[in-house]
Amino acid sequence: MSNYTKILVALDIYAESHPVLEKALQIASSSKHINIVYVTVPMVNYQPFGMAYEGDFFNDLCLQSKAKLKELADKFKIPETQIFSPVGNPADEIHNTANDIKADLIVIGTHGRSGLKLLLGSTANGVLHGVKCDVLAVKV
């Protein structure tokens, strides 16, 4: 049995996230130990006279994100109370969610496509900085 009882799986619901979730399920003794999070990045439109938020479009995006996350949770039998969909900076919100649920492991996918973040990717790299628990980066 795993020593991890509170696993937070950070997903990109618009990419192939099944390998990340499946890896977390291999580590967990059951899906009741899995929590999933998808962070919606706020959409800000910079206009010549200030900033404006993309109202209805952004609200629809948040609702679609929650629906996709719930669909994944249902498929893997993860309770609805263990689904999180905050809005903000992905690394910060993953840290906040991990702290709130007292996670002992964060599982995150990584693409690692370019630049200094070649090995991990920007979100995975951001999660590593300042994290208070173990992190498993899964290559997707």
Side-chain angles (χ1 to χ4, degrees), residues 42-105:
M43 296 181 66
V44 178
N45 180 14
Y46 293 96
Q47 298 179 353
F49 302 105
M51 297 186 328
Y53 288 95
E54 301 286 343
D56 290 339
F57 175 77
F58 182 69
N59 291 335
D60 289 346
L61 184 64
C62 288
L63 290 174
Q64 288 174 7
S65 299
K66 288 177 186 177
K68 283 189 177 220
L69 201 57
K70 184 169 179 348
E71 187 179 303
L72 264 176
D74 289 346
K75 180 177 181 178
F76 289 95
K77 297 179 176 54
I78 297 167
E80 192 169 350
T81 56
Q82 294 167 209
I83 301 170
F84 303 93
S85 56
V87 175
N89 173 282
D92 292 342
E93 294 303 325
I94 292 167
H95 284 160
N96 292 340
T97 304
N99 289 337
D100 290 348
I101 68 167
K102 297 176 178 39
D104 46 18
L105 176 67

Side-chain angles (χ1 to χ4, degrees), residues 5 14 19 22-23 37 41 57 73 79 113 119-120 128 131-132:
T5 59
Y14 296 103
E22 287 167 356
K23 182 62 78 172
V37 63
V41 178
F57 175 77
R113 292 187 177 136
L119 295 176
L120 288 176
L128 281 174
V131 73
K132 296 178 181 176

